[in-house]
Amino acid sequence: MAGNRITLRISGAQLEYTDEHPSLLAALEAHNVCVEYQCREGYCGSCRTRLIKGEVSYAGQPLAFIQQGEILPCCCKANGDIEIEL
């Protein structure tokens, strides 16, 4: 299955992302990208980052407060190619 591309704005790295990853955080970890997190469930907001381009979806509404343009990689999946502020 063809994957989607995650672009990391700060480093310019481009990573492949497939549906086999349960979350965006899991995909980033699979590529050895270090992301701060605590809960992996959308409760704490430690992994909060800015979504520059693209769209993500959540299985359930996260409890942590996020502002417009922010995402929680621990509990979202990319919908197509995305660019994030990492």
Side-chain angles (χ1 to χ4, degrees), residues 52-68:
I52 307 301
K53 291 181 188 170
E55 295 181 8
V56 298
S57 59
Y58 295 90
Q61 185 64 28
L63 295 178
F65 177 75
I66 53 174
Q67 295 187 17
Q68 184 72 23

Side-chain angles (χ1 to χ4, degrees), residues 31-86:
H31 290 285
N32 297 313
V33 176
C34 189
V35 178
E36 183 179 336
Y37 69 90
Q38 295 288 323
C39 70
R40 290 189 177 268
E41 300 291 330
Y43 299 132
C44 72
S46 291
C47 65
R48 179 184 298 116
T49 191
R50 185 156 301 283
L51 178 66
I52 307 301
K53 291 181 188 170
E55 295 181 8
V56 298
S57 59
Y58 295 90
Q61 185 64 28
L63 295 178
F65 177 75
I66 53 174
Q67 295 187 17
Q68 184 72 23
E70 292 180 333
I71 60 169
L72 298 173
C74 73
C75 60
C76 73
K77 287 190 161 205
N79 295 341
D81 294 346
I82 64 169
E83 182 176 349
I84 56 176
E85 187 79 35
L86 275 183

